[in-house]
Amino acid sequence: MSGHGSIPLVDLRAQYAEIGPELKEAAIGALERTDYILGADVAEFEKEFAAFVGAKHCVACASGTDALTLAFRALDIGPGDDVIMQANTFVATPLGAVLAGARPVFVDADPATMQVDLAAMERAITSRTRALVPVHLFGQAVDMSRVAALARRRNLAVVEDAAQGHGARWNGRSVGSFGDVAAWSFYPGKNLGAAGDGGALTTQREDVARKLRLLRNYGSTVKYVHESPGTNSRLDTLQAAILRVKLRHLHAWVDRRRAAARRYRELLADVPHVVLPQECREEEHAWHLFVVRVPDRDRVLKTLQDAGIGAGIHYPIPCHLQGALRNLEYARGAFPAAEDLAGRILSLPIYPEIEPAQQAAVAAALRV
Ligand SMILES: *Cc1c(COP(=O)(O)O)cnc(C)c1O
């Protein structure tokens, strides 16, 4: 238990309690080697993470948001180009496109799965469309067979937002291995999290990997020779050292998340006002978040908070209604499913170390 009687949404202290000594050793090693920028641990982590994903290349960078921006830039997607994504994602998905100069075009969610409505995605394609952006939201893979077929038929690129997808699979293959490029985040609370910000891109394409290596490092691979107008977006060696330790635990952690998700299903099966996440290929879901739907959500959220339970809302405002994107001129009502979800979704505490008694306490608080 972390903290007397309180159950956080994510418990990084419980994780530290399990692997603290390994993390300290790795961090001290990196400090002592002093290769702080693009050091040995970055190169090793890139190899190990590429192998985990089943991608030919991994290029680490400073955050998931940067990873998305770099993904579009590496595909030469920018001003005048549209990219299609669901309205119910984290705002960084569209911001990544905006920061590359492209225009996000939103489509509605499928109310059953809460994932992108792929039929709507197809209908939204125009002559300006350059890429499809499937988001593996909550740790559940989008149907990448359908996305790949659609992209091939319409000659579009695929940029996977895998920021919530570490450990998620589609037909046995890791997310992040399907698209032209995939963006990952290592924000501390993700399934694989650094001790600060971090991100990465995976790709099967040599040309894309090469461009990404330039773009994240001032457009340079040889010191003081600059081929393209790149930025400074590198993963710190210190963070890479920490991520290498955590990556070794990731398969086991995802298995424990799956066990926790099964336990919630059992505990909540007979609570009539709680709508559970739709049954899916449970062995392929990475359960970054366990998202239920309840009527009168804000009251339920307050009940849980009063009981010391850190429930969350992912996300309370759909992207098309965010002030940051008002210039896209979407109106309320544009995406009824995404808007309806925003008012009813509730993320329950889930992390590998969560104890059955903690989950039982969450279920008990949801019954009232
Ligand atoms: C976390 C997240 C991002 C952004 O990652 P950062 O590392 O926080 O910049 C992008 N997309 C989704 C779906 C995310 O959950």
Side-chain angles (χ1 to χ4, degrees):
M1 282 276 189
S2 74
H4 183 70
S6 83
I7 305 169
L9 182 63
V10 176
D11 194 346
L12 294 178
R13 284 169 195 248
Q15 185 190 68
Y16 189 76
E18 283 191 6
I19 62 163
E22 290 174 72
L23 292 177
K24 279 185 199 160
E25 194 188 322
I28 289 168
L31 281 175
E32 289 179 350
R33 279 191 304 277
T34 73
D35 55 348
Y36 299 136
I37 298 296
L38 296 181
D41 278 315
V42 175
E44 290 305 311
F45 174 70
E46 288 178 338
K47 273 188 225 153
E48 291 160 3
F49 194 64
F52 178 88
V53 171
K56 287 208 184 80
H57 310 276
C58 171
V59 179
C61 67
S63 73
T65 306
D66 276 3
L68 284 156
T69 305
L70 293 169
F72 294 116
R73 290 193 63 192
L75 297 172
D76 292 316
I77 294 173
D81 299 331
D82 288 356
V83 299
I84 305 177
M85 62 186 65
Q86 66 208 72
N88 64 322
T89 179
F90 182 54
V91 73
T93 319
L95 288 183
V98 168
L99 291 170
R103 182 172 75 171
V105 170
F106 294 116
V107 295
D108 211 352
D110 174 340
T113 62
M114 301 187 273
Q115 301 293 93
V116 62
D117 177 341
L118 287 173
M121 191 173 240
E122 176 159 15
R123 286 195 300 274
I125 296 170
T126 70
S127 59
R128 286 173 55 121
T129 308
R130 291 284 315 281
L132 307 176
V133 187
V135 183
H136 306 297
L137 197 68
F138 309 149
Q140 183 178 4
V142 175
D143 180 340
M144 290 309 293
S145 319
R146 276 183 71 188
V147 172
L150 178 57
R152 215 175 307 116
R153 195 150 26 87
R154 306 296 292 268
N155 195 24
L156 301 171
V158 175
V159 175
E160 292 177 72
D161 183 340
Q164 300 188 6
H166 321 69
R169 291 192 289 261
W170 178 255
N171 284 341
R173 240 172 86 186
S174 170
V175 303
S177 68
F178 294 90
D180 291 274
V181 60
W184 300 85
S185 165
F186 306 120
Y187 175 83
K190 308 285 179 171
N191 285 9
L192 177 63
D197 277 310
L201 299 114
T202 51
T203 179
Q204 310 289 10
R205 288 176 52 178
E206 172 79 43
D207 62 324
V208 170
R210 190 187 131 69
K211 278 194 188 162
L212 290 170
R213 285 188 196 288
L214 287 172
L215 286 171
R216 71 157 173 196
N217 192 38
Y218 330 108
S220 166
T221 51
V222 176
K223 201 161 187 153
Y224 303 133
V225 180
H226 303 271
E227 289 181 42
S228 65
T231 185
N232 176 350
S233 179
R234 302 169 298 211
L235 180 69
D236 292 341
T237 304
L238 196 57
Q239 298 300 349
I242 283 167
L243 287 167
R244 290 186 70 199
V245 170
K246 293 198 187 187
L247 182 57
R248 294 199 281 272
H249 296 277
L250 186 53
H251 278 302
W253 284 343
V254 173
D255 283 345
R256 287 160 71 181
R257 286 177 179 274
R258 290 190 183 116
R262 278 196 299 276
R263 207 174 297 124
Y264 270 138
R265 282 201 191 286
E266 287 161 20
L267 287 165
L268 296 169
D270 65 340
V271 185
H273 62 276
V274 174
V275 178
L276 292 169
Q278 192 190 42
E279 297 269 355
C280 58
R281 305 181 194 189
E282 307 276 328
E283 77 287 359
E284 302 214 310
H285 200 311
W287 295 108
H288 175 58
L289 293 168
F290 191 89
V291 179
V292 300
R293 280 171 261 182
V294 289
D296 205 0
R297 191 266 321 278
D298 293 335
R299 186 192 57 79
V300 176
L301 178 63
K302 180 151 191 324
T303 306
L304 293 184
Q305 283 168 345
D306 290 346
I309 295 166
I313 304 172
H314 300 89
Y315 297 92
I317 304 172
C319 290
H320 67 288
L321 301 178
Q322 290 287 359
L325 299 167
R326 72 172 70 78
N327 67 319
L328 299 175
E329 298 188 334
Y330 285 100
R332 191 169 293 281
F335 304 114
E339 291 170 33
D340 176 63
L341 284 170
R344 293 196 292 134
I345 47 174
L346 187 66
S347 306
L348 305 184
I350 191 162
Y351 40 90
E353 302 80 9
I354 195 166
E355 294 168 11
Q358 293 178 306
Q359 293 191 262
V362 174
L366 276 170
R367 271 170 203 282
V368 296

